[in-house]
């Protein structure tokens, strides 16, 4: 289940409400339940759909007591697990749905090495577009600044972006980000000169100031097992 409160839930109310989610998991749930939350954004995983529906109904009732409600467009029950793809295929349905959480679109996939199930993540399209728009606006302000100064600033921006988004399976999306960023800079450099340099002549500048993406984070299973060494998420 993927959900978000439609209005603020802070302080004692937030702590009490989410502590009750943990209590529900321990006292009511009959199967394994995984809860991941950040602020008012929440993802809850269940072994079966019936239990997910029971939880969703109870959670809505609990929020209503505080005058709150789940965001209608961001709250969904989806089939998302190790066997989701094959179960949906047997029913003649399409691929498992995806969900976006903390800036990443999560989807069911397989590892190329052994075909084992894995949750892949890629940068959410809206987040990448918003970041490129922000960089474009700043590049316009720095249009007449020295190339080295702009390059140094871009390198810091890109490095920070990679530190968050450079997860396994997301290199293709980061490569797209880098390509679009280089084009944005190229367009700005063309506008500042009466005799704009062709793309090929600027490649050394891009290579120097815009680093290539590389994976900086472990696979989700490795991080999960480090925190929960006795629990096998896909067993």
């Amino acid at each position: 289940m993927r959900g978000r409160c439609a209005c603020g839930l802070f302080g004692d109310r937030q702590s009490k409400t989410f502590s009750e989610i943990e209590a529900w998991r321990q006292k009511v749930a009959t199967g394994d339940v995984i809860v991941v939350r950040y602020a008012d954004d929440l993802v809850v995983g269940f072994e079966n759909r019936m239990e997910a529906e029971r939880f969703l109904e109870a959670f809505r009732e609990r929020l209503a007591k505080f005058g709150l409600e789940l965001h209608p467009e961001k709250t969904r029950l989806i089939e998302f697990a190790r066997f989701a793809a094959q179960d949906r295929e047997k029913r003649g349905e399409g691929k498992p749905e995806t969900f976006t959480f903390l800036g990443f679109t999560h989807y069911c996939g397989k590892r190329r090495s052994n075909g084992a199930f894995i949750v892949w993540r890629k940068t959410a399209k809206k987040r990448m577009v918003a970041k490129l728009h922000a960089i474009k606006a700043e590049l316009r302000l720095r249009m007449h600044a020295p190339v080295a100064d702009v390059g140094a600033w871009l390198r810091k921006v890109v490095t920070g972006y990679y530190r968050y988004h450079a997860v396994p399976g997301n290199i293709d999306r980061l490569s797209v980000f880098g390509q679009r960023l280089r084009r944005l800079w190229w367009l700005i450099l063309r506008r500042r000169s009466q005799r704009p340099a062709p793309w090929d002549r600027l490649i050394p500048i891009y290579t120097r100031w815009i680093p290539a993406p590389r994976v900086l984070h472990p696979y989700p299973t490795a991080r999960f097992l480090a925190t929960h060494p006795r629990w096998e998420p896909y067993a």
Side-chain angles (χ1 to χ4, degrees):
M1 188 200 85
R2 166 78 164 84
R4 170 175 287 183
C5 295
C7 51
L9 181 63
F10 303 106
D12 294 338
R13 286 184 177 183
Q14 184 186 51
S15 300
K16 186 175 182 180
T17 299
F18 287 111
S19 65
E20 290 177 355
I21 295 176
E22 182 64 25
W24 192 95
R25 175 170 66 174
Q26 296 179 1
K27 298 179 181 179
V28 180
T30 57
D32 287 326
V33 179
I34 298 176
V35 181
V36 182
R37 71 177 181 91
Y38 182 82
D40 60 351
D41 217 352
L42 176 73
V43 174
V44 188
F46 300 86
E47 282 194 86
N48 60 77
R49 186 178 184 88
M50 184 178 297
E51 195 151 75
E53 292 173 345
R54 288 175 55 202
F55 171 81
L56 180 57
E57 181 179 357
F59 192 46
R60 279 177 170 150
E61 291 177 356
R62 184 57 184 167
L63 288 177
K65 294 182 179 180
F66 296 110
L68 305 173
E69 62 180 3
L70 291 171
H71 197 295
E73 297 179 0
K74 297 181 179 179
T75 303
R76 296 182 295 146
L77 284 177
I78 65 173
E79 190 174 9
F80 190 95
R82 181 179 183 181
F83 302 108
Q86 65 185 57
D87 290 344
R88 291 176 66 86
E89 184 178 359
K90 291 178 181 179
R91 299 195 300 265
E93 301 175 351
K95 295 181 180 180
E97 295 182 72
T98 65
F99 67 91
T100 300
F101 183 60
L102 300 182
F104 290 99
T105 297
H106 296 66
Y107 61 100
C108 297
K110 297 180 180 180
R111 297 188 66 168
R112 298 187 183 95
S113 58
N114 55 13
F117 171 79
I118 189 171
V119 177
W120 288 120
R121 295 169 291 169
K122 59 183 178 181
T123 307
K125 184 177 180 180
K126 288 184 178 180
R127 170 170 285 207
M128 186 174 72
V129 171
K131 186 63 175 180
L132 288 171
H133 282 169
I135 293 175
K136 180 180 180 180
E138 185 64 24
L139 283 174
R140 286 178 174 175
L141 296 177
R142 297 171 181 256
M143 180 184 300
H144 300 291
V147 172
D149 291 349
V150 177
W153 169 75
L154 275 177
R155 183 163 56 187
K156 292 180 180 179
V157 171
V158 174
T159 299
Y161 188 82
Y162 287 170
R163 284 176 181 170
Y164 183 82
H165 294 94
V167 300
N170 196 37
I171 294 301
D172 289 347
R173 184 59 64 90
L174 293 182
S175 296
V176 171
F177 174 82
Q179 292 170 3
R180 295 183 180 179
L181 177 58
R182 287 189 288 271
R183 177 170 173 77
L184 286 177
W185 196 12
W186 176 64
L187 293 174
I188 294 296
L189 290 174
R190 283 176 59 89
R191 292 183 59 185
R192 61 181 275 174
S193 175
Q194 294 181 351
R195 300 179 61 183
W199 175 273
D200 293 346
R201 288 184 57 186
L202 297 178
I203 290 179
I205 295 178
Y206 305 145
T207 303
R208 178 182 180 184
W209 297 113
I210 302 179
R214 60 186 180 88
V215 176
L216 300 176
H217 299 279
Y219 280 91
T221 49
R223 176 168 291 175
F224 188 91
L225 291 175
T227 308
H228 307 278
R230 296 184 180 180
W231 201 81
E232 298 182 19
Y234 306 135

